Amino acid sequence: MLNKLMIKRMIEEALIEDMNYGDITTDSLLDESIMGEAIITAKETGVIAGLPVAEATFKILDEKIEFIAIVSDGNNVSKGDDIAIIKGSLKNIIKAERTALNLLQRMSGIATKAHKYAEIVKDYPVRIVDTRKTTPGLRSLEKYAVKVGGCSNHRYNLSDEVMIKDNHIKAVGGISEALEKCRKAIPHTTKIEIEVETLEQLKEAIAGGADIVLLDNMDTNTMKEAVEINQRRVILEASGNITEERLKEIAAIGIDVISVGALTHTVKAMDISLNLK
């Protein structure tokens, strides 16, 4: 779900960034009484995500603008398909255009990639999740787009769960020490995830009471051994060097979760345009 208050703040900041003292070109050429209509069109095939955000962008600038969605978030579209119609003051439509498209294109690019990844492992009981490798300030939008595309979310931020990483372990002195300190400090309702790099560390993490173990940068054969060692005692998450080509082979060995930073940090924005009728 999108948080409307968070969306409003993000959009306002984006609009201010784009025209802190107005739009010198559009303000010089048009006044708000000139009405018209524009169409948002897909220029390539993909999965749409972010229509409510695009609509909010236009309406924050001008609440009288009418936004008519032709498709819905999660729909597949082809090149040339119309996505939405916008009616109202041409001046304000043009001023909000770039911010609305930037967000819609970015989110649709993420949803398209997530859909592709989800399809690859659809026959396996595995969950593909995102990471915190998101664009600063846009995390909630990008994680929403991941879900629209058919994948799942990992933690939203550092407050969501205990996740003990390699630098934590080095700083504290070891896996057992880190697990013990966290378990004493946190509520009983909070899960603990810990990152391991070897099978010996995995055994130590299971014995130490971890709820989730992240297998960091392991090859597929080593992860297969980890699944056999684990015997479903903890949730196993594969992470690091997860390419599109490896997804199915990792899913097939019985890993529970595959986290993929590329869902958000190396995404090509979907090509979408806005043109006046």
Side-chain angles (χ1 to χ4, degrees):
M1 292 290 291
L2 289 167
N3 184 311
K4 291 183 179 180
L5 294 176
M6 290 178 66
I7 291 172
K8 184 174 184 292
R9 184 174 62 190
M10 289 178 199
I11 292 170
E12 287 174 343
E13 289 176 355
L15 288 169
I16 291 169
E17 176 184 57
D18 204 32
M19 47 179 168
N20 55 339
Y21 294 109
D23 175 352
I24 190 170
T25 308
T26 307
D27 289 338
S28 298
L29 294 172
L30 300 170
D31 63 58
E32 293 193 12
S33 65
I34 301 173
M35 299 292 156
E37 187 173 313
I39 297 179
I40 296 178
T41 305
K43 297 182 72 176
E44 62 180 323
T45 298
V47 177
I48 295 299
L51 284 172
V53 179
E55 178 178 6
T57 304
F58 289 104
K59 291 194 171 182
I60 284 171
L61 195 64
D62 181 353
E63 62 183 13
K64 294 180 182 178
I65 286 177
E66 184 180 6
F67 187 97
I68 305 164
I70 299 171
V71 300
S72 300
D73 277 4
N75 286 168
N76 284 281
V77 297
S78 300
K79 181 179 180 180
D81 286 352
D82 291 336
I83 297 169
I85 299 169
I86 304 103
K87 299 180 181 180
S89 167
L90 289 182
K91 178 177 182 177
N92 291 326
I93 290 173
I94 292 171
K95 289 170 80 168
E97 171 189 354
R98 177 43 50 204
T99 298
L101 286 182
N102 281 350
L103 296 171
L104 182 62
Q105 289 176 302
R106 173 75 180 165
M107 294 175 72
S108 296
I110 291 170
T112 300
K113 191 164 195 172
H115 176 73
K116 184 178 183 181
Y117 281 25
E119 283 293 300
I120 291 171
V121 299
K122 65 181 180 181
D123 296 326
Y124 299 92
V126 67
R127 177 177 291 197
I128 296 181
V129 303
D130 52 30
T131 69
R132 285 169 45 243
K133 295 176 181 178
T134 54
T135 307
L138 298 181
R139 181 171 296 170
S140 64
L141 300 186
E142 294 182 349
K143 282 182 169 284
Y144 165 81
V146 166
K147 293 192 72 174
V148 168
C151 291
S152 301
N153 297 146
H154 205 294
R155 58 179 177 166
Y156 266 73
N157 57 47
L158 297 172
S159 303
D160 280 348
E161 70 160 352
V162 173
M163 186 168 181
I164 305 168
K165 299 179 73 67
D166 57 344
N167 284 332
H168 293 121
I169 295 167
K170 290 174 185 175
V172 171
I175 286 175
S176 298
E177 293 87 345
L179 287 168
E180 184 179 0
K181 289 192 76 170
C182 281
R183 185 60 71 191
K184 287 179 178 178
I186 63 174
H188 69 283
T189 55
T190 304
K191 290 187 176 182
I192 296 178
E193 178 167 7
I194 190 164
E195 179 180 293
V196 303
E197 298 175 346
T198 68
L199 296 178
E200 286 306 310
Q201 288 182 329
L202 168 65
K203 294 174 185 177
E204 186 178 356
I206 294 171
D211 300 295
I212 307 159
V213 177
L214 185 151
L215 308 176
D216 184 42
N217 281 297
M218 288 187 182
D219 60 51
T220 307
N221 287 333
T222 305
M223 283 193 278
K224 188 174 182 180
E225 288 186 62
V227 171
E228 293 170 358
I229 290 168
N230 181 45
Q231 295 294 308
R232 294 286 176 189
R233 285 177 287 177
V234 302
I235 294 171
L236 289 183
E237 175 182 336
S239 185
N241 193 31
I242 306 295
T243 62
E244 185 179 321
E245 293 72 27
R246 293 185 68 205
L247 285 175
K248 186 174 284 190
E249 68 179 44
I250 294 171
I253 64 175
I255 292 292
D256 302 296
V257 178
I258 304 173
S259 55
V260 186
L263 283 175
T264 53
H265 79 67
T266 50
V267 171
K268 176 186 173 293
M270 185 175 167
D271 196 0
I272 299 171
S273 65
L274 181 150
N275 292 291
L276 299 184
K277 285 188 69 174

